[in-house]
Amino acid sequence: MIALTIAQLAHAIAGETRLTAGDTPETVVSGLVDTDSRHIGPGDVFVAKPGDVTDGHLFVEAAASAGAALAIVERPVEADVTQIVVPDAVAALADLAREVVKRARDAAAQRGDTLEVVGITGSNGKTTTKNLLARILEGEGETIAPKASFNNEVGAPLTMLRVTERTRFLVSEFGASAPGEIARLAGLVEPDVGVVLMVGMAHAGGFGGIEATFHAKSELVRAIRSGGLAILNADDARVAAMAPIAAEQSAGVRWFGRGPAATDVRADDVVVTASGTSFVVTADGESLPVRLRVLGEHHVMNALAAIASATALGVSPADAVARLETVEIAERWRMQPLGSDRVRIINDAYNASPDSMSAALRTLAQITGPGERTVAVLGAMSELGEYAEEEHDRVGLLAVRLGIQRIVVIGSDARRMYLEAVAQGSWDNEAVFFETADEAFHYLRGELRDGDRVLVKSSNSAGLRFLGDRLGESFS
């Protein structure tokens, strides 16, 4: 975090200061900000956020013992640390993030420099695109990007608060499960560049349908500052329909995709293998070969979005491609290769939606060669609401139509996949169902054989990412 006095901090979050001995309103604080006391070190700021499971106020003393310079609390706590008392710790976190980014921008402007803020949203691909773009931008200067999927009302501000006076790029990932959330988060920083990847069925239950999802994702475009730039997926009709919104914001549009409408950054000659995906990218008229090591054809679009953003920010296409090619995996539990050449496990069970489930199954079919066997280990897709049954049926149907040779479905919420697979012809033990991951693990330990290519895919709540880790270790 940029350096602020306690008085400046308290003013930014409209809090009441309770000083400990040795501190004054002019005491400077510049450490990291976190809501987890286990991550607090000397000089850091601890935010005591009440939670569903526990209450951060119970850990203020632990943060003080770890050397915290300050605690932001909703009620005073008996602990040897200066505290700023606020009505709502999460709201204070947002207010502080807004202030810190504004000051960092002002400081950069005074130096004749800029702090460029990029916001990324979409039903799928946010975290991968964020990681790819951050890898490219790191070669240009200090770049701050979220850890893992820090994209909600707590994670996004925590990322923003990591900016310093030296930061050149802030890459923010914006997720949402209800209307208005992206508007609130993006409104904290008013991005210079807003990237919209796709509008799909992820979280459709929370939004109330695909059109409501469109309006929620378009909130990022509405938040772009005047004179900024929207990076839009030309292949997605709903994303393309956001161009007039960008015009309303006096923002330009830069198009990426694989079709003819992708006039700025386009991919051709896509070839998918078990070791990655190759394609030719044309960026602003310059064509270059790309060898992306991240598994899955669907990640081509994420790479194009990253290239479109980076080149808009002044990175040459050649440098963008060279840095992209150093990325080995998108993120842990996202198309992560495990196991061995004998039995390859692809652990993609951090998140799942109908679109990402379809993409992962197609990738499994594409990368499995002659004499090898496809095995799909599938769990539930969450947050689909009234669409859950229909969408789980579609996955079961797709798995059969792709010729997946073993379909292993886990958990009662995913059972529709199994039933549909059986109904579509997988009745000779090609499809099996287990209530628990432990039962499935013991089955797979005896079932998997040399030449198997195994996809483990589910939403985070299903917990199958840990099953994927166990399988990877067992067949390493």
Side-chain angles (χ1 to χ4, degrees), residues 318-329:
D319 284 344
V321 168
R323 293 166 192 167
L324 270 184
E325 292 182 330
T326 68
V327 180
E328 296 183 6
I329 64 170

Side-chain angles (χ1 to χ4, degrees), residues 267-273 276-280 289-293 300:
D268 296 295
D269 303 328
V270 177
V271 178
V272 181
T273 70
T277 305
S278 63
F279 59 96
V280 175
V290 182
R291 176 64 176 167
L292 188 65
R293 289 194 274 178
V300 171

Side-chain angles (χ1 to χ4, degrees), residues 329-334 336 347 350 466 469:
I329 64 170
E331 184 87 46
R332 186 183 180 192
W333 298 319
R334 288 179 170 86
Q336 181 182 7
N347 193 355
Y350 187 83
F466 304 118
D469 287 343

Side-chain angles (χ1 to χ4, degrees), residues 69-109:
L70 180 70
I72 297 173
V73 298
E74 293 183 1
R75 61 179 185 272
V77 176
E78 288 296 327
D80 187 23
V81 62
T82 291
Q83 299 168 39
I84 300 178
V85 184
V86 295
D88 185 321
V90 174
L93 192 64
D95 290 339
L96 184 57
R98 180 189 292 108
E99 179 71 11
V100 164
V101 173
K102 179 183 180 299
R103 285 176 175 267
R105 268 185 163 140
D106 291 345

Side-chain angles (χ1 to χ4, degrees), residues 218-241:
S218 69
E219 290 170 7
L220 174 58
V221 180
R222 297 184 189 281
I224 297 171
R225 57 174 46 201
S226 178
L229 188 64
I231 310 288
L232 301 180
N233 179 352
D235 298 349
D236 186 312
R238 290 186 174 87
V239 176

Side-chain angles (χ1 to χ4, degrees), residues 166-182:
R166 302 178 303 279
T167 303
R168 263 196 83 183
F169 303 101
L170 167 63
V171 181
S172 290
E173 177 184 340
F174 299 127
S177 56
E181 292 181 11
I182 292 173

Side-chain angles (χ1 to χ4, degrees), residues 333-387:
W333 298 319
R334 288 179 170 86
M335 298 302 286
Q336 181 182 7
L338 299 171
S340 64
D341 289 339
R342 183 171 67 87
V343 177
R344 174 62 65 198
I345 311 295
I346 303 170
N347 193 355
D348 192 32
Y350 187 83
N351 216 336
S353 69
D355 295 305
S356 68
M357 187 73 81
S358 173
L361 285 169
R362 293 182 190 280
T363 297
L364 176 65
Q366 288 173 320
I367 68 173
T368 303
E372 299 175 342
R373 187 173 64 158
T374 50
V375 181
V377 182
L378 308 175
M381 301 177 290
S382 62
E383 299 184 63
L384 292 176
E386 64 184 286
Y387 307 98

